[in-house]
Amino acid sequence: MTAAGHDEEFPYEKRLEGLLEELRGHSGIQVDETRLGPIEMPFDNFGEVFKDLVKWYDLPFGEPIREKFFRYAEVEASWRSADPQSELVGEFSLSHVFRSVVENHVSDTWEGKDDEERELYGELRIFDDTPRTGSGRMAALRATRGTTDPEIWFFDMRQGALEMDLDYPAYLDTLLLTKGTIGWQYLFCDAGFGDVGFTPLAKGLQEMVEVIPRLFPQYDYADLASRLRERM
């Protein structure tokens, strides 16, 4: 496939590659790891992936999700601010959409404390994780049969599962802005200062909305800053 064809057919994949390049190439960021996982069969076949999601799991994901397709089994980064006094830290580990649905069940790790929670965890499929830092924070889509636009939930082992105020495509777009700053997902959840999951992250999130716009001035961080103010 030519570079032009690659950009045209899988535009979000190209944006993820660009994100890793941004992190590696910035003097204000100390990168611990950036990695593009392998492109393997059948993950590389766009048509077969979404056909099989319908056939085997009754998940007819809509066009906005299909537009975010990437072929890598996973895309990962772990980084911190180059300033030794900073608490700004980031990590993400995005999984291929098919791999998320088939392999990454929240219920394999977290059982839930009651019937309602167990039912929820049985439907959640992890697509973004923090394995390197082991922070116990991850994002999951809710794979209810027949859905075209799954709910997105953020799981923090300190707070439990919180539904996010964005969908899968918006999550992936926002990840590009935040660079995976630890806990950025709280800005789209019904939690704030005083909550056991949010409070330890507040200083790092404050740094995110103050420092990252200076590091990456080509992006607009006004909405993230507004959301943080609402939660402080």
Side-chain angles (χ1 to χ4, degrees), residues 42-43 49 52-53 56-57 96-103:
F43 294 161
V49 163
D52 285 348
L53 285 170
W56 300 113
Y57 303 98
H96 188 286
V97 64
F98 191 80
R99 181 182 178 193
S100 297
V101 169
V102 176
E103 300 178 10

Side-chain angles (χ1 to χ4, degrees), residues 131-146:
R132 189 178 179 91
T133 57
S135 70
R137 302 180 181 98
M138 59 200 73
L141 59 87
R142 192 171 189 178
T144 51
R145 296 178 69 85

Side-chain angles (χ1 to χ4, degrees), residues 78-91:
S78 177
W79 59 269
R80 62 188 60 251
S81 169
D83 179 356
Q85 304 302 314
S86 172
E87 295 190 19
L88 189 60
V89 177
E91 181 182 13

Side-chain angles (χ1 to χ4, degrees), residues 55-208:
K55 179 179 179 181
W56 300 113
Y57 303 98
D58 192 19
L59 293 173
F61 290 150
E63 188 61 27
I65 293 178
R66 296 170 184 243
E67 290 174 355
K68 300 300 183 186
F69 178 77
F70 58 90
R71 296 169 297 166
Y72 297 110
E74 61 275 325
V75 180
E76 301 179 324
S78 177
W79 59 269
R80 62 188 60 251
S81 169
D83 179 356
Q85 304 302 314
S86 172
E87 295 190 19
L88 189 60
V89 177
E91 181 182 13
F92 60 87
S93 179
L94 288 179
S95 294
H96 188 286
V97 64
F98 191 80
R99 181 182 178 193
S100 297
V101 169
V102 176
E103 300 178 10
N104 299 348
H105 299 189
V106 169
S107 58
D108 289 343
T109 306
W110 303 94
E111 183 178 276
K113 63 181 181 293
D114 54 39
D115 289 345
E116 183 178 2
E117 202 168 76
R118 282 189 284 272
E119 179 181 1
L120 172 64
Y121 290 179
E123 294 174 339
L124 294 182
R125 305 291 185 261
I126 302 161
F127 66 89
D128 185 16
D129 200 357
T130 52
R132 189 178 179 91
T133 57
S135 70
R137 302 180 181 98
M138 59 200 73
L141 59 87
R142 192 171 189 178
T144 51
R145 296 178 69 85
T147 186
T148 60
D149 182 19
E151 297 171 3
I152 302 301
W153 289 70
F154 178 55
F155 181 86
D156 183 336
M157 65 182 183
R158 301 152 193 80
Q159 188 92 31
L162 300 169
E163 186 174 359
M164 296 187 70
D165 182 27
L166 40 62
D167 58 14
Y168 180 83
Y171 184 103
L172 295 183
D173 283 338
T174 308
L175 177 69
L176 298 177
L177 281 177
T178 65
K179 320 302 178 190
T181 298
I182 294 293
W184 71 263
Q185 296 91 342
Y186 272 110
L187 302 185
F188 296 86
C189 296
D190 187 17
F193 202 82
D195 289 300
V196 296
F198 178 91
T199 302
L201 301 171
K203 186 174 181 180
L205 292 175
Q206 188 66 48
E207 275 199 74
M208 179 186 75

